[in-house]
Amino acid sequence: MLSYFLPPITNTRPARNVTLGEVYEMIVSEKWAQTTQSLRSLHKEAQSGFKQRQLPFVTFSGTFTQRHNEYLVRHSGLMCLDFDHVGDEASVRALQELLVADHNLEVQLAFRSPSGDGLKVIVKND
């Protein structure tokens, strides 16, 4: 289980707990497609503020009563590897394929970052 937080980023209390499967469904859903498209249309300088105000977020490392290490309820056994500024979509896809194929990593989920030029890879960490 993971904690799911509604925007803005200053929100430190989770709205609910979700599974990794639910996170995947949110990522591929039409609900967030328009927000993600709006984010990707912005200049890089404006993207950070937009993400902080508009996008929900998840603590892949587990469930929390508040978003801070000392409020961890239960570790998920997962870790998020975050690769920023990888490049265009083809570069992100190439890195994703490389990491998913790596037998030393137990990749559970890999997806292009909301800004479009990065990659998030969720791996087992237990």
Side-chain angles (χ1 to χ4, degrees):
M1 296 299 291
L2 319 169
S3 289
Y4 172 81
F5 296 80
L6 295 171
I9 195 79
T10 54
N11 185 6
T12 62
R13 296 199 184 270
R16 62 188 172 103
N17 291 334
V18 296
T19 65
L20 191 59
E22 288 174 295
V23 172
Y24 170 78
E25 291 300 325
M26 287 183 236
I27 291 168
V28 300
S29 75
E30 289 297 318
K31 179 178 181 178
W32 294 107
Q34 183 176 359
T35 304
T36 301
Q37 188 64 22
S38 295
L39 169 67
R40 291 179 181 171
S41 71
L42 297 173
H43 290 287
K44 293 294 177 196
E45 300 80 33
Q47 286 185 347
S48 178
F50 183 92
K51 285 190 294 188
Q52 292 176 0
R53 290 186 309 276
Q54 301 293 326
L55 291 179
F57 51 100
V58 173
T59 51
F60 287 104
S61 58
T63 55
F64 294 78
T65 56
Q66 290 186 52
R67 197 183 73 239
H68 192 279
N69 290 344
E70 67 186 71
Y71 296 104
L72 175 68
V73 174
R74 183 174 180 161
H75 196 277
S76 65
L78 301 172
M79 177 172 60
C80 180
L81 307 176
D82 194 359
F83 299 89
D84 294 328
H85 313 297
V86 173
D88 62 10
E89 187 174 354
S91 299
V92 172
R93 185 170 290 126
L95 177 60
Q96 180 176 351
E97 289 171 2
L98 179 73
L99 293 170
V100 168
D102 187 324
H103 298 293
N104 294 309
L105 295 174
E106 290 188 56
V107 176
Q108 304 299 299
L109 178 65
F111 58 96
R112 195 168 154 208
S113 66
S115 61
D117 69 346
L119 180 68
K120 298 192 183 297
V121 182
I122 313 306
V123 297
K124 277 194 157 188
N125 184 36
D126 49 12

